[in-house]
Amino acid sequence: MFFDPVCPWAWMTSRWLKQVEQVRPIEVTWTVMSLSVLNEGRDLPDDYRALLDRAWLPVRVVIAAQKEHGDEVVGKLYDAIGTRIHPGGRGKDDADLRAVVIEALQECGLPPELIDAGENTPGDDIDQRLRASHQRAMDLVGDDVGTPVVGIGDIAFFGPVVTPAPKGEDAGRLWDGCLLVAGTPGFYELKRTRTEGPNFD
């Protein structure tokens, strides 16, 4: 799964996949993509642009943690950051988002100094790694999507976008459906208008 920690819909999808791991023989690989990278150069509403300006911090820190401590820390750090941002309702300004990420690093036993990697410095090593990780998602699914992206073998889709996250066997049945459409040559899209926001219960 490709995620941006600030995206509530990615969070919902990640909670569903956590449930799927309990009822189907899968192991999720957690990988960063970036709404900030995705939306560079686009004309966006001021409030969304402000969110994207803040969103550089957590993705860069996750990439730095992965670089220094390996792939196994990515999912744990995402859980720790996302729990604070989404059901926790935090990170709505620069100072609190910084505090959220430091707390998450500490919860995961990672050096809080990794927060220093969060400064958006175009062209540095973390930026290059972030853009490469993001590009992996785009290469799988195409450019006209957002986060989350879920890859199943060689096929990837935007979504599923679902709220609340299905649990238990309901989660497994949705996964079975995803496997079905991923295995259907030429299948590209299902979509309907969302009528409710993410439910973190």
Side-chain angles (χ1 to χ4, degrees):
M1 177 180 160
F2 293 85
F3 66 89
D4 186 312
V6 304
C7 177
W9 296 109
W11 181 252
M12 299 306 302
T13 300
S14 74
R15 299 310 90 184
W16 161 65
L17 284 172
K18 289 273 194 178
Q19 289 287 311
V20 175
E21 286 185 311
Q22 304 305 309
V23 295
R24 295 293 186 272
I26 73 163
E27 182 178 348
V28 178
T29 300
W30 304 99
T31 309
V32 170
M33 65 181 291
S34 170
L35 288 171
S36 301
V37 172
L38 182 70
N39 287 286
E40 281 181 320
R42 295 184 181 177
D43 186 20
L44 300 168
D46 290 344
D47 58 340
Y48 192 55
R49 174 57 60 200
L51 170 66
L52 295 180
D53 289 346
R54 286 195 307 277
W56 288 104
L57 175 74
V59 289
R60 287 177 56 88
V61 171
V62 173
I63 290 289
Q66 181 182 34
K67 175 188 172 187
E68 298 296 328
H69 300 278
D71 294 342
E72 63 275 7
V73 303
V74 174
K76 295 174 186 175
L77 190 52
Y78 177 39
D79 284 349
I81 293 171
T83 298
R84 288 168 171 82
I85 290 176
H86 300 298
R90 295 188 50 204
K92 298 191 185 306
D93 60 52
D94 292 348
D96 193 41
L97 184 58
R98 185 177 174 85
V100 159
V101 174
I102 290 172
E103 290 170 18
L105 288 166
Q106 292 170 330
E107 178 183 321
C108 294
L110 296 167
E113 294 78 18
L114 284 169
I115 193 70
D116 295 337
E119 183 178 346
N120 183 21
T121 307
D124 71 3
D125 180 57
I126 299 302
D127 184 64
Q128 292 176 33
R129 289 171 180 267
L130 171 59
R131 290 174 186 278
S133 184
H134 177 83
Q135 191 60 47
R136 282 184 55 213
M138 299 297 96
D139 289 346
L140 286 169
V141 79
D143 293 326
D144 57 344
V145 300
T147 176
V149 168
V150 173
I152 303 169
D154 294 333
I155 302 295
F157 296 107
F158 166 65
V161 174
V162 61
T163 189
K167 296 177 175 59
E169 189 55 27
D170 289 340
R173 282 193 293 271
L174 178 54
W175 174 254
D176 296 340
C178 291
L179 288 179
L180 177 64
V181 297
T184 303
F187 179 87
Y188 290 101
E189 186 172 359
L190 281 173
K191 189 170 174 73
R192 65 177 178 152
T193 300
R194 292 193 301 264
T195 58
E196 60 181 295
N199 177 346
F200 303 125
D201 291 344

